[in-house]
C-alpha cells in the first residue's frame, strides 16, 4: 500500500484526499462500520475465553464511574444481573472489589473497586494500549492524530444523535450515554 492511497477490504484503491457527499460518506462509512463491528465481534468472542474478560467491563465502570449497586452495574454494562453477580462474587473473593452498605438505603450494598481492582483495570488498559501501539506503529503521526480526532468526532456525534433521537430513559438513550465516556 503506498502513501497516496488507502486500500479497502476489496483491495480497491481509495484516494487519500478528495471529497464525498454526505450520502456517499454514509455509504462508505456504513460498509466500514459493518466490517469494523465484525472484526470487533470476532475479537470479543476470542476474549470470552481469556482469563478476566468479563471483569474488565465491570472494573472499568467501577473505576471510572465510582461505587454503584450490582443492578445499576448490570444496567450500565447491558449484562444480565446473574452474570454480574457471578463476576462480582469472584472479584470480591479475589480482592478486586468490596461491598459496602449503601448510605441511602442500608438494605442495599454498593460495589467499590479496591486498590487491587484499580491496578488490575490499569493493567488491562496498558495491555490494550500496547496492542494498539503495535497496530498503529506503521501509521504516520498525522494519520494517527487524524484517526483519534475523527473517531472522537464520530463518537460525539453518534451520542448526540442518539440522545436527540430517543427520549431519556429509553434503552437507546442509555446505550448512547454509555458511549459518551471518553476515558475507557
Amino acid at each position: 500500500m503506498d502513501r497516496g492511497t488507502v486500500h479497502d477490504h476489496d483491495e480497491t484503491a481509495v484516494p487519500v484526499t478528495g471529497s464525498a457527499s454526505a450520502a456517499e460518506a454514509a455509504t462508505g462509512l456504513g460498509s466500514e462500520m459493518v466490517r469494523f463491528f465484525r472484526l470487533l465481534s470476532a475479537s470479543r468472542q476470542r476474549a470470552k475465553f481469556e482469563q478476566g474478560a468479563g471483569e474488565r467491563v465491570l472494573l472499568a465502570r467501577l473505576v471510572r464511574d465510582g461505587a454503584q449497586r450490582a443492578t445499576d452495574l448490570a444496567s450500565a454494562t447491558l449484562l444480565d444481573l446473574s452474570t454480574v453477580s457471578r463476576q462480582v462474587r469472584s472479584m470480591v473473593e479475589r480482592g478486586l472489589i468490596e461491598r459496602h452498605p449503601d448510605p441511602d438505603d442500608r438494605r442495599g450494598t454498593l460495589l467499590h473497586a479496591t486498590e487491587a481492582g484499580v491496578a488490575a483495570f490499569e493493567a488491562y488498559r496498558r495491555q490494550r494500549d500496547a496492542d494498539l501501539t503495535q497496530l498503529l506503529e506503521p501509521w504516520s503521526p498525522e494519520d494517527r492524530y487524524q484517526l483519534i480526532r475523527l473517531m472522537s468526532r464520530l463518537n460525539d456525534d453518534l451520542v448526540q444523535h442518539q440522545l436527540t433521537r430517543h427520549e431519556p430513559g429509553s434503552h437507546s438513550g442509555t446505550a448512547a450515554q454509555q458511549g459518551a465516556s471518553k476515558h475507557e
Side-chain angles (χ1 to χ4, degrees):
M1 176 163 50
D2 68 46
R3 293 186 56 103
T5 59
V6 175
H7 296 274
D8 69 14
H9 57 281
D10 295 326
E11 290 301 317
T12 306
V14 177
V16 171
T17 60
S19 64
S21 69
E24 292 166 334
T27 299
L29 179 61
S31 295
E32 289 304 319
M33 287 176 74
V34 167
R35 183 173 174 225
F36 180 74
F37 291 143
R38 285 183 185 149
L39 291 164
L40 190 59
S41 178
S43 176
R44 285 186 171 173
Q45 285 291 6
R46 282 190 306 274
K48 284 183 182 180
F49 301 105
E50 294 175 5
Q51 177 73 18
E55 69 190 31
R56 285 191 287 265
V57 172
L58 301 176
L59 277 175
R61 282 287 168 187
L62 292 173
V63 170
R64 284 192 344 242
D65 301 336
Q68 52 194 288
R69 290 174 171 245
T71 52
D72 295 332
L73 193 56
S75 175
T77 57
L78 301 177
L79 294 172
D80 185 76
L81 183 57
S82 64
T83 301
V84 170
S85 295
R86 278 192 307 276
Q87 290 291 332
V88 164
R89 190 170 30 258
S90 172
M91 289 189 289
V92 166
E93 289 171 0
R94 292 179 302 142
L96 300 176
I97 62 175
E98 295 176 332
R99 290 183 176 105
H100 296 283
D102 185 341
D104 296 330
D105 180 0
R106 300 302 262 172
R107 296 171 295 167
T109 60
L110 292 176
L111 304 170
H112 298 260
T114 63
E115 285 185 32
V118 172
F121 168 73
E122 292 297 334
Y124 295 141
R125 187 191 311 229
R126 280 192 303 277
Q127 182 59 54
R128 179 204 62 195
D129 291 352
D131 291 344
L132 288 171
T133 296
Q134 183 179 10
L135 178 73
L136 295 171
E137 191 65 39
W139 291 37
S140 72
E142 296 84 13
D143 285 350
R144 292 189 293 255
Y145 173 80
Q146 291 301 327
L147 174 65
I148 295 165
R149 185 183 72 78
L150 292 171
M151 283 294 294
S152 179
R153 180 177 176 184
L154 178 62
N155 284 332
D156 290 346
D157 289 349
L158 285 169
V159 167
Q160 189 59 42
H161 179 72
Q162 288 297 317
L163 292 175
T164 58
R165 192 170 172 200
H166 300 285
E167 293 193 71
S170 71
H171 183 69
S172 295
T174 302
Q177 289 176 0
Q178 286 183 28
S181 176
K182 293 183 178 188
H183 304 290
E184 188 167 322

